[in-house]
PDB file of all heavy atoms in Angstrom:
ATOM      1  N   MET A   2     108.203 143.886 -40.850  1.00 50.00           N
ATOM      2  CA  MET A   2     107.468 144.957 -41.536  1.00 50.00           C
ATOM      3  C   MET A   2     106.006 145.016 -41.078  1.00 50.00           C
ATOM      4  O   MET A   2     105.398 146.068 -41.064  1.00 50.00           O
ATOM      5  CB  MET A   2     107.453 144.716 -43.053  1.00 50.00           C
ATOM      6  CG  MET A   2     108.783 144.932 -43.719  1.00 50.00           C
ATOM      7  SD  MET A   2     108.942 146.624 -44.376  1.00 50.00           S
ATOM      8  CE  MET A   2     107.807 146.594 -45.759  1.00 50.00           C
ATOM      9  N   GLU A 197      98.875 147.742 -52.236  1.00 98.00           N
ATOM     10  CA  GLU A 197     100.112 148.523 -52.146  1.00 98.00           C
ATOM     11  C   GLU A 197      99.822 150.013 -52.004  1.00 98.00           C
ATOM     12  O   GLU A 197     100.496 150.723 -51.268  1.00 98.00           O
ATOM     13  CB  GLU A 197     101.008 148.259 -53.368  1.00 98.00           C
ATOM     14  CG  GLU A 197     101.558 146.841 -53.416  1.00 98.00           C
ATOM     15  CD  GLU A 197     102.474 146.518 -52.244  1.00 98.00           C
ATOM     16  OE1 GLU A 197     103.495 147.199 -52.074  1.00 98.00           O
ATOM     17  OE2 GLU A 197     102.142 145.584 -51.485  1.00 98.00           O
ATOM     18  N   LYS A 200      98.938 150.555 -48.425  1.00 98.00           N
ATOM     19  CA  LYS A 200     100.121 150.590 -47.543  1.00 98.00           C
ATOM     20  C   LYS A 200     100.843 151.926 -47.648  1.00 98.00           C
ATOM     21  O   LYS A 200     101.279 152.487 -46.637  1.00 98.00           O
ATOM     22  CB  LYS A 200     101.078 149.454 -47.914  1.00 98.00           C
ATOM     23  CG  LYS A 200     100.628 148.085 -47.452  1.00 98.00           C
ATOM     24  CD  LYS A 200     101.739 147.095 -47.746  1.00 98.00           C
ATOM     25  CE  LYS A 200     101.356 145.684 -47.408  1.00 98.00           C
ATOM     26  NZ  LYS A 200     102.396 144.731 -47.836  1.00 98.00           N
ATOM     27  N   ASP A 221      84.081 147.001 -51.879  1.00 93.00           N
ATOM     28  CA  ASP A 221      84.602 145.819 -52.558  1.00 93.00           C
ATOM     29  C   ASP A 221      84.213 145.801 -54.032  1.00 93.00           C
ATOM     30  O   ASP A 221      84.027 144.749 -54.642  1.00 93.00           O
ATOM     31  CB  ASP A 221      84.061 144.558 -51.858  1.00 93.00           C
ATOM     32  CG  ASP A 221      84.822 143.321 -52.289  1.00 93.00           C
ATOM     33  OD1 ASP A 221      85.983 143.452 -52.700  1.00 93.00           O
ATOM     34  OD2 ASP A 221      84.242 142.224 -52.234  1.00 93.00           O
ATOM     35  N   THR A 222      84.149 146.970 -54.614  1.00 91.00           N
ATOM     36  CA  THR A 222      83.678 147.125 -55.990  1.00 91.00           C
ATOM     37  C   THR A 222      84.378 146.195 -56.982  1.00 91.00           C
ATOM     38  O   THR A 222      83.746 145.635 -57.867  1.00 91.00           O
ATOM     39  CB  THR A 222      83.895 148.574 -56.451  1.00 91.00           C
ATOM     40  OG1 THR A 222      83.539 149.438 -55.377  1.00 91.00           O
ATOM     41  CG2 THR A 222      83.072 148.889 -57.674  1.00 91.00           C
ATOM     42  N   ARG A 223      85.679 146.049 -56.835  1.00 93.00           N
ATOM     43  CA  ARG A 223      86.444 145.295 -57.828  1.00 93.00           C
ATOM     44  C   ARG A 223      87.115 144.052 -57.250  1.00 93.00           C
ATOM     45  O   ARG A 223      88.114 143.568 -57.763  1.00 93.00           O
ATOM     46  CB  ARG A 223      87.448 146.225 -58.518  1.00 93.00           C
ATOM     47  CG  ARG A 223      86.723 147.294 -59.332  1.00 93.00           C
ATOM     48  CD  ARG A 223      87.595 148.282 -60.050  1.00 93.00           C
ATOM     49  NE  ARG A 223      86.722 149.118 -60.890  1.00 93.00           N
ATOM     50  CZ  ARG A 223      86.034 150.163 -60.444  1.00 93.00           C
ATOM     51  NH1 ARG A 223      86.130 150.532 -59.180  1.00 93.00           N
ATOM     52  NH2 ARG A 223      85.239 150.835 -61.265  1.00 93.00           N
ATOM     53  N   GLY A 224      86.550 143.582 -56.140  1.00 95.00           N
ATOM     54  CA  GLY A 224      86.992 142.290 -55.610  1.00 95.00           C
ATOM     55  C   GLY A 224      88.252 142.340 -54.755  1.00 95.00           C
ATOM     56  O   GLY A 224      88.720 141.294 -54.303  1.00 95.00           O
ATOM     57  N   ILE A 227      88.992 142.463 -49.495  1.00 98.00           N
ATOM     58  CA  ILE A 227      89.613 141.711 -48.392  1.00 98.00           C
ATOM     59  C   ILE A 227      91.139 141.788 -48.468  1.00 98.00           C
ATOM     60  O   ILE A 227      91.810 141.793 -47.430  1.00 98.00           O
ATOM     61  CB  ILE A 227      89.092 140.246 -48.362  1.00 98.00           C
ATOM     62  CG1 ILE A 227      89.277 139.623 -46.979  1.00 98.00           C
ATOM     63  CG2 ILE A 227      89.742 139.406 -49.424  1.00 98.00           C
ATOM     64  CD1 ILE A 227      88.239 140.006 -45.977  1.00 98.00           C
ATOM     65  N   TYR A 231      93.429 143.357 -45.560  1.00 98.00           N
ATOM     66  CA  TYR A 231      94.623 142.663 -45.060  1.00 98.00           C
ATOM     67  C   TYR A 231      95.841 143.595 -45.085  1.00 98.00           C
ATOM     68  O   TYR A 231      96.613 143.656 -44.114  1.00 98.00           O
ATOM     69  CB  TYR A 231      94.872 141.404 -45.896  1.00 98.00           C
ATOM     70  CG  TYR A 231      96.232 140.798 -45.711  1.00 98.00           C
ATOM     71  CD1 TYR A 231      96.589 140.193 -44.506  1.00 98.00           C
ATOM     72  CD2 TYR A 231      97.189 140.845 -46.723  1.00 98.00           C
ATOM     73  CE1 TYR A 231      97.848 139.651 -44.325  1.00 98.00           C
ATOM     74  CE2 TYR A 231      98.445 140.307 -46.561  1.00 98.00           C
ATOM     75  CZ  TYR A 231      98.776 139.713 -45.365  1.00 98.00           C
ATOM     76  OH  TYR A 231     100.027 139.184 -45.190  1.00 98.00           O
ATOM     77  N   GLY A 250      76.278 145.578 -51.545  1.00 55.00           N
ATOM     78  CA  GLY A 250      77.193 145.333 -52.640  1.00 55.00           C
ATOM     79  C   GLY A 250      76.680 144.333 -53.644  1.00 55.00           C
ATOM     80  O   GLY A 250      77.296 144.103 -54.658  1.00 55.00           O
ATOM     81  N   PHE A 253      72.953 141.921 -57.655  1.00 43.00           N
ATOM     82  CA  PHE A 253      71.876 141.067 -58.156  1.00 43.00           C
ATOM     83  C   PHE A 253      70.683 141.088 -57.232  1.00 43.00           C
ATOM     84  O   PHE A 253      69.750 140.316 -57.403  1.00 43.00           O
ATOM     85  CB  PHE A 253      72.366 139.630 -58.273  1.00 43.00           C
ATOM     86  CG  PHE A 253      73.779 139.546 -58.706  1.00 43.00           C
ATOM     87  CD1 PHE A 253      74.767 139.133 -57.838  1.00 43.00           C
ATOM     88  CD2 PHE A 253      74.119 139.936 -59.990  1.00 43.00           C
ATOM     89  CE1 PHE A 253      76.076 139.079 -58.252  1.00 43.00           C
ATOM     90  CE2 PHE A 253      75.423 139.880 -60.400  1.00 43.00           C
ATOM     91  CZ  PHE A 253      76.413 139.454 -59.533  1.00 43.00           C
ATOM     92  N   ARG A 260      76.131 148.032 -61.037  1.00 42.00           N
ATOM     93  CA  ARG A 260      77.495 148.436 -60.749  1.00 42.00           C
ATOM     94  C   ARG A 260      77.699 148.895 -59.304  1.00 42.00           C
ATOM     95  O   ARG A 260      78.755 149.363 -58.940  1.00 42.00           O
ATOM     96  CB  ARG A 260      77.922 149.542 -61.713  1.00 42.00           C
ATOM     97  CG  ARG A 260      78.307 148.942 -63.028  1.00 42.00           C
ATOM     98  CD  ARG A 260      78.257 149.908 -64.182  1.00 42.00           C
ATOM     99  NE  ARG A 260      78.103 149.177 -65.430  1.00 42.00           N
ATOM    100  CZ  ARG A 260      79.110 148.520 -66.034  1.00 42.00           C
ATOM    101  NH1 ARG A 260      80.307 148.531 -65.541  1.00 42.00           N
ATOM    102  NH2 ARG A 260      78.886 147.856 -67.148  1.00 42.00           N
ATOM    103  N   MET A 304      76.822 138.514 -51.399  1.00 86.00           N
ATOM    104  CA  MET A 304      78.179 138.222 -51.843  1.00 86.00           C
ATOM    105  C   MET A 304      79.104 137.651 -50.769  1.00 86.00           C
ATOM    106  O   MET A 304      80.236 137.292 -51.078  1.00 86.00           O
ATOM    107  CB  MET A 304      78.802 139.496 -52.420  1.00 86.00           C
ATOM    108  CG  MET A 304      78.090 140.022 -53.654  1.00 86.00           C
ATOM    109  SD  MET A 304      78.130 138.841 -55.026  1.00 86.00           S
ATOM    110  CE  MET A 304      79.514 139.503 -55.980  1.00 86.00           C
ATOM    111  N   ARG A 306      81.101 135.212 -48.375  1.00 91.00           N
ATOM    112  CA  ARG A 306      81.530 133.837 -48.640  1.00 91.00           C
ATOM    113  C   ARG A 306      81.425 132.957 -47.395  1.00 91.00           C
ATOM    114  O   ARG A 306      80.884 131.862 -47.453  1.00 91.00           O
ATOM    115  CB  ARG A 306      82.981 133.806 -49.166  1.00 91.00           C
ATOM    116  CG  ARG A 306      83.222 134.648 -50.413  1.00 91.00           C
ATOM    117  CD  ARG A 306      82.306 134.297 -51.565  1.00 91.00           C
ATOM    118  NE  ARG A 306      82.405 132.943 -52.015  1.00 91.00           N
ATOM    119  CZ  ARG A 306      82.939 132.552 -53.150  1.00 91.00           C
ATOM    120  NH1 ARG A 306      83.463 133.430 -53.979  1.00 91.00           N
ATOM    121  NH2 ARG A 306      82.963 131.280 -53.485  1.00 91.00           N
ATOM    122  N   HIS A 309      78.290 131.332 -46.483  1.00 90.00           N
ATOM    123  CA  HIS A 309      77.857 130.159 -47.239  1.00 90.00           C
ATOM    124  C   HIS A 309      78.701 128.921 -46.944  1.00 90.00           C
ATOM    125  O   HIS A 309      78.240 127.799 -47.103  1.00 90.00           O
ATOM    126  CB  HIS A 309      77.869 130.469 -48.737  1.00 90.00           C
ATOM    127  CG  HIS A 309      76.946 131.600 -49.107  1.00 90.00           C
ATOM    128  ND1 HIS A 309      77.396 132.805 -49.582  1.00 90.00           N
ATOM    129  CD2 HIS A 309      75.596 131.717 -49.005  1.00 90.00           C
ATOM    130  CE1 HIS A 309      76.355 133.611 -49.779  1.00 90.00           C
ATOM    131  NE2 HIS A 309      75.259 132.984 -49.438  1.00 90.00           N
ATOM    132  N   SER A 310      79.931 129.130 -46.545  1.00 89.00           N
ATOM    133  CA  SER A 310      80.831 127.979 -46.320  1.00 89.00           C
ATOM    134  C   SER A 310      80.967 127.633 -44.842  1.00 89.00           C
ATOM    135  O   SER A 310      81.303 126.501 -44.502  1.00 89.00           O
ATOM    136  CB  SER A 310      82.221 128.293 -46.875  1.00 89.00           C
ATOM    137  OG  SER A 310      82.763 129.433 -46.213  1.00 89.00           O
ATOM    138  N   GLY A 311      80.739 128.611 -43.966  1.00 92.00           N
ATOM    139  CA  GLY A 311      81.025 128.412 -42.543  1.00 92.00           C
ATOM    140  C   GLY A 311      82.499 128.617 -42.249  1.00 92.00           C
ATOM    141  O   GLY A 311      83.336 128.625 -43.169  1.00 92.00           O
ATOM    142  N   TYR A 316      85.783 122.216 -37.833  1.00 90.00           N
ATOM    143  CA  TYR A 316      86.704 121.199 -38.347  1.00 90.00           C
ATOM    144  C   TYR A 316      87.893 121.020 -37.412  1.00 90.00           C
ATOM    145  O   TYR A 316      88.436 119.944 -37.245  1.00 90.00           O
ATOM    146  CB  TYR A 316      87.212 121.580 -39.734  1.00 90.00           C
ATOM    147  CG  TYR A 316      86.124 121.725 -40.761  1.00 90.00           C
ATOM    148  CD1 TYR A 316      85.774 122.968 -41.267  1.00 90.00           C
ATOM    149  CD2 TYR A 316      85.441 120.594 -41.224  1.00 90.00           C
ATOM    150  CE1 TYR A 316      84.776 123.095 -42.219  1.00 90.00           C
ATOM    151  CE2 TYR A 316      84.442 120.717 -42.174  1.00 90.00           C
ATOM    152  CZ  TYR A 316      84.112 121.970 -42.669  1.00 90.00           C
ATOM    153  OH  TYR A 316      83.129 122.097 -43.609  1.00 90.00           O
TER     154      TYR A 316
ATOM    155  N   MET B  24     110.753 143.720 -48.240  1.00 50.00           N
ATOM    156  CA  MET B  24     110.265 142.359 -47.986  1.00 50.00           C
ATOM    157  C   MET B  24     109.513 141.799 -49.191  1.00 50.00           C
ATOM    158  O   MET B  24     109.533 140.611 -49.439  1.00 50.00           O
ATOM    159  CB  MET B  24     109.289 142.360 -46.795  1.00 50.00           C
ATOM    160  CG  MET B  24     109.957 142.539 -45.459  1.00 50.00           C
ATOM    161  SD  MET B  24     110.398 140.962 -44.674  1.00 50.00           S
ATOM    162  CE  MET B  24     108.774 140.321 -44.240  1.00 50.00           C
ATOM    163  N   ASN B 176      89.071 119.418 -44.505  1.00 89.00           N
ATOM    164  CA  ASN B 176      87.818 119.296 -43.763  1.00 89.00           C
ATOM    165  C   ASN B 176      87.703 117.952 -43.033  1.00 89.00           C
ATOM    166  O   ASN B 176      86.951 117.835 -42.087  1.00 89.00           O
ATOM    167  CB  ASN B 176      86.623 119.471 -44.694  1.00 89.00           C
ATOM    168  CG  ASN B 176      86.558 120.875 -45.291  1.00 89.00           C
ATOM    169  OD1 ASN B 176      87.290 121.764 -44.862  1.00 89.00           O
ATOM    170  ND2 ASN B 176      85.689 121.069 -46.270  1.00 89.00           N
ATOM    171  N   GLU B 219      98.985 135.034 -44.083  1.00 98.00           N
ATOM    172  CA  GLU B 219     100.220 134.820 -43.323  1.00 98.00           C
ATOM    173  C   GLU B 219     100.675 133.363 -43.405  1.00 98.00           C
ATOM    174  O   GLU B 219     101.869 133.083 -43.516  1.00 98.00           O
ATOM    175  CB  GLU B 219     100.029 135.247 -41.864  1.00 98.00           C
ATOM    176  CG  GLU B 219      99.840 136.749 -41.683  1.00 98.00           C
ATOM    177  CD  GLU B 219     101.055 137.551 -42.131  1.00 98.00           C
ATOM    178  OE1 GLU B 219     102.144 137.353 -41.581  1.00 98.00           O
ATOM    179  OE2 GLU B 219     100.902 138.375 -43.057  1.00 98.00           O
ATOM    180  N   LYS B 222     102.361 133.010 -46.712  1.00 98.00           N
ATOM    181  CA  LYS B 222     103.730 133.562 -46.720  1.00 98.00           C
ATOM    182  C   LYS B 222     104.713 132.609 -46.038  1.00 98.00           C
ATOM    183  O   LYS B 222     105.826 132.413 -46.514  1.00 98.00           O
ATOM    184  CB  LYS B 222     103.754 134.913 -46.016  1.00 98.00           C
ATOM    185  CG  LYS B 222     103.179 136.054 -46.839  1.00 98.00           C
ATOM    186  CD  LYS B 222     103.390 137.339 -46.068  1.00 98.00           C
ATOM    187  CE  LYS B 222     102.764 138.524 -46.757  1.00 98.00           C
ATOM    188  NZ  LYS B 222     102.888 139.740 -45.926  1.00 98.00           N
ATOM    189  N   ASP B 243      88.416 129.955 -53.140  1.00 93.00           N
ATOM    190  CA  ASP B 243      87.923 131.153 -52.455  1.00 93.00           C
ATOM    191  C   ASP B 243      86.772 130.820 -51.492  1.00 93.00           C
ATOM    192  O   ASP B 243      85.870 131.626 -51.268  1.00 93.00           O
ATOM    193  CB  ASP B 243      87.468 132.180 -53.498  1.00 93.00           C
ATOM    194  CG  ASP B 243      87.256 133.540 -52.872  1.00 93.00           C
ATOM    195  OD1 ASP B 243      87.888 133.832 -51.846  1.00 93.00           O
ATOM    196  OD2 ASP B 243      86.426 134.319 -53.402  1.00 93.00           O
ATOM    197  N   THR B 244      86.849 129.667 -50.909  1.00 91.00           N
ATOM    198  CA  THR B 244      85.767 129.149 -50.075  1.00 91.00           C
ATOM    199  C   THR B 244      85.307 130.126 -48.997  1.00 91.00           C
ATOM    200  O   THR B 244      84.122 130.258 -48.723  1.00 91.00           O
ATOM    201  CB  THR B 244      86.228 127.847 -49.386  1.00 91.00           C
ATOM    202  OG1 THR B 244      86.941 127.080 -50.339  1.00 91.00           O
ATOM    203  CG2 THR B 244      85.053 127.072 -48.841  1.00 91.00           C
ATOM    204  N   ARG B 245      86.263 130.794 -48.380  1.00 93.00           N
ATOM    205  CA  ARG B 245      85.926 131.650 -47.234  1.00 93.00           C
ATOM    206  C   ARG B 245      86.260 133.117 -47.477  1.00 93.00           C
ATOM    207  O   ARG B 245      86.476 133.882 -46.542  1.00 93.00           O
ATOM    208  CB  ARG B 245      86.599 131.099 -45.976  1.00 93.00           C
ATOM    209  CG  ARG B 245      86.015 129.750 -45.594  1.00 93.00           C
ATOM    210  CD  ARG B 245      86.612 129.074 -44.407  1.00 93.00           C
ATOM    211  NE  ARG B 245      85.833 127.872 -44.128  1.00 93.00           N
ATOM    212  CZ  ARG B 245      86.020 126.705 -44.739  1.00 93.00           C
ATOM    213  NH1 ARG B 245      86.968 126.565 -45.639  1.00 93.00           N
ATOM    214  NH2 ARG B 245      85.239 125.680 -44.445  1.00 93.00           N
ATOM    215  N   GLY B 246      86.315 133.488 -48.751  1.00 95.00           N
ATOM    216  CA  GLY B 246      86.438 134.907 -49.087  1.00 95.00           C
ATOM    217  C   GLY B 246      87.847 135.470 -49.017  1.00 95.00           C
ATOM    218  O   GLY B 246      88.043 136.659 -49.247  1.00 95.00           O
ATOM    219  N   ILE B 249      91.512 136.338 -52.792  1.00 98.00           N
ATOM    220  CA  ILE B 249      92.309 137.408 -53.408  1.00 98.00           C
ATOM    221  C   ILE B 249      93.372 137.922 -52.440  1.00 98.00           C
ATOM    222  O   ILE B 249      94.466 138.315 -52.861  1.00 98.00           O
ATOM    223  CB  ILE B 249      91.388 138.536 -53.943  1.00 98.00           C
ATOM    224  CG1 ILE B 249      92.095 139.370 -55.023  1.00 98.00           C
ATOM    225  CG2 ILE B 249      90.867 139.413 -52.828  1.00 98.00           C
ATOM    226  CD1 ILE B 249      92.090 138.751 -56.381  1.00 98.00           C
ATOM    227  N   TYR B 253      97.308 137.789 -53.193  1.00 98.00           N
ATOM    228  CA  TYR B 253      98.172 138.959 -52.987  1.00 98.00           C
ATOM    229  C   TYR B 253      99.386 138.577 -52.135  1.00 98.00           C
ATOM    230  O   TYR B 253     100.524 138.961 -52.448  1.00 98.00           O
ATOM    231  CB  TYR B 253      97.370 140.088 -52.343  1.00 98.00           C
ATOM    232  CG  TYR B 253      98.209 141.189 -51.775  1.00 98.00           C
ATOM    233  CD1 TYR B 253      98.937 142.047 -52.617  1.00 98.00           C
ATOM    234  CD2 TYR B 253      98.301 141.385 -50.402  1.00 98.00           C
ATOM    235  CE1 TYR B 253      99.714 143.057 -52.085  1.00 98.00           C
ATOM    236  CE2 TYR B 253      99.082 142.394 -49.867  1.00 98.00           C
ATOM    237  CZ  TYR B 253      99.788 143.221 -50.713  1.00 98.00           C
ATOM    238  OH  TYR B 253     100.569 144.229 -50.189  1.00 98.00           O
ATOM    239  N   GLY B 272      82.536 128.284 -58.175  1.00 55.00           N
ATOM    240  CA  GLY B 272      82.438 128.716 -56.801  1.00 55.00           C
ATOM    241  C   GLY B 272      81.103 129.296 -56.428  1.00 55.00           C
ATOM    242  O   GLY B 272      80.863 129.615 -55.275  1.00 55.00           O
ATOM    243  N   PHE B 275      75.168 129.482 -55.749  1.00 43.00           N
ATOM    244  CA  PHE B 275      73.775 129.766 -56.101  1.00 43.00           C
ATOM    245  C   PHE B 275      73.485 129.394 -57.534  1.00 43.00           C
ATOM    246  O   PHE B 275      72.443 129.739 -58.066  1.00 43.00           O
ATOM    247  CB  PHE B 275      73.495 131.253 -55.925  1.00 43.00           C
ATOM    248  CG  PHE B 275      74.222 131.828 -54.749  1.00 43.00           C
ATOM    249  CD1 PHE B 275      75.247 132.717 -54.922  1.00 43.00           C
ATOM    250  CD2 PHE B 275      73.866 131.433 -53.478  1.00 43.00           C
ATOM    251  CE1 PHE B 275      75.921 133.224 -53.835  1.00 43.00           C
ATOM    252  CE2 PHE B 275      74.525 131.932 -52.390  1.00 43.00           C
ATOM    253  CZ  PHE B 275      75.565 132.832 -52.561  1.00 43.00           C
ATOM    254  N   ARG B 282      77.816 124.747 -50.324  1.00 42.00           N
ATOM    255  CA  ARG B 282      79.120 124.933 -49.716  1.00 42.00           C
ATOM    256  C   ARG B 282      80.272 124.784 -50.704  1.00 42.00           C
ATOM    257  O   ARG B 282      81.435 124.818 -50.321  1.00 42.00           O
ATOM    258  CB  ARG B 282      79.294 123.973 -48.544  1.00 42.00           C
ATOM    259  CG  ARG B 282      78.580 124.482 -47.322  1.00 42.00           C
ATOM    260  CD  ARG B 282      78.262 123.419 -46.311  1.00 42.00           C
ATOM    261  NE  ARG B 282      77.127 123.839 -45.516  1.00 42.00           N
ATOM    262  CZ  ARG B 282      77.199 124.735 -44.533  1.00 42.00           C
ATOM    263  NH1 ARG B 282      78.329 125.300 -44.215  1.00 42.00           N
ATOM    264  NH2 ARG B 282      76.119 125.088 -43.866  1.00 42.00           N
ATOM    265  N   MET B 326      80.243 134.902 -58.910  1.00 86.00           N
ATOM    266  CA  MET B 326      80.827 135.638 -57.792  1.00 86.00           C
ATOM    267  C   MET B 326      81.885 136.672 -58.189  1.00 86.00           C
ATOM    268  O   MET B 326      82.356 137.409 -57.333  1.00 86.00           O
ATOM    269  CB  MET B 326      81.438 134.652 -56.793  1.00 86.00           C
ATOM    270  CG  MET B 326      80.424 133.715 -56.165  1.00 86.00           C
ATOM    271  SD  MET B 326      79.140 134.590 -55.207  1.00 86.00           S
ATOM    272  CE  MET B 326      79.824 134.449 -53.542  1.00 86.00           C
ATOM    273  N   ARG B 328      83.741 140.009 -59.262  1.00 91.00           N
ATOM    274  CA  ARG B 328      83.357 141.393 -58.985  1.00 91.00           C
ATOM    275  C   ARG B 328      83.677 142.314 -60.160  1.00 91.00           C
ATOM    276  O   ARG B 328      82.831 143.088 -60.580  1.00 91.00           O
ATOM    277  CB  ARG B 328      84.069 141.912 -57.724  1.00 91.00           C
ATOM    278  CG  ARG B 328      83.844 141.089 -56.470  1.00 91.00           C
ATOM    279  CD  ARG B 328      82.377 140.879 -56.145  1.00 91.00           C
ATOM    280  NE  ARG B 328      81.653 142.087 -55.900  1.00 91.00           N
ATOM    281  CZ  ARG B 328      81.212 142.516 -54.724  1.00 91.00           C
ATOM    282  NH1 ARG B 328      81.454 141.797 -53.650  1.00 91.00           N
ATOM    283  NH2 ARG B 328      80.527 143.619 -54.606  1.00 91.00           N
ATOM    284  N   HIS B 331      81.348 142.685 -62.958  1.00 90.00           N
ATOM    285  CA  HIS B 331      80.139 143.480 -62.774  1.00 90.00           C
ATOM    286  C   HIS B 331      80.418 144.980 -62.679  1.00 90.00           C
ATOM    287  O   HIS B 331      79.548 145.790 -62.972  1.00 90.00           O
ATOM    288  CB  HIS B 331      79.390 142.995 -61.523  1.00 90.00           C
ATOM    289  CG  HIS B 331      78.972 141.552 -61.621  1.00 90.00           C
ATOM    290  ND1 HIS B 331      79.497 140.560 -60.832  1.00 90.00           N
ATOM    291  CD2 HIS B 331      78.100 140.936 -62.460  1.00 90.00           C
ATOM    292  CE1 HIS B 331      78.955 139.396 -61.167  1.00 90.00           C
ATOM    293  NE2 HIS B 331      78.111 139.593 -62.147  1.00 90.00           N
ATOM    294  N   SER B 332      81.610 145.332 -62.250  1.00 90.00           N
ATOM    295  CA  SER B 332      81.924 146.753 -62.047  1.00 90.00           C
ATOM    296  C   SER B 332      82.745 147.331 -63.191  1.00 90.00           C
ATOM    297  O   SER B 332      82.741 148.537 -63.421  1.00 90.00           O
ATOM    298  CB  SER B 332      82.706 146.939 -60.742  1.00 90.00           C
ATOM    299  OG  SER B 332      83.918 146.206 -60.795  1.00 90.00           O
ATOM    300  N   GLY B 333      83.482 146.469 -63.885  1.00 92.00           N
ATOM    301  CA  GLY B 333      84.436 146.943 -64.878  1.00 92.00           C
ATOM    302  C   GLY B 333      85.741 147.361 -64.222  1.00 92.00           C
ATOM    303  O   GLY B 333      85.800 147.569 -63.005  1.00 92.00           O
TER     304      GLY B 333
END
Side-chain angles (χ1 to χ4, degrees):
Chain A
M2 289 266 289
E197 293 297 300
K200 285 186 184 174
D221 194 25
T222 318
R223 295 179 174 82
I227 202 80
Y231 166 69
F253 324 110
R260 280 159 203 283
M304 297 298 262
R306 304 304 300 251
H309 300 113
S310 61
Y316 300 110
Chain B
M24 286 268 290
N176 295 350
E219 292 297 300
K222 284 185 184 175
D243 193 26
T244 318
R245 293 178 174 84
I249 202 81
Y253 165 69
F275 324 111
R282 281 159 205 283
M326 297 299 263
R328 304 306 299 252
H331 300 113
S332 60

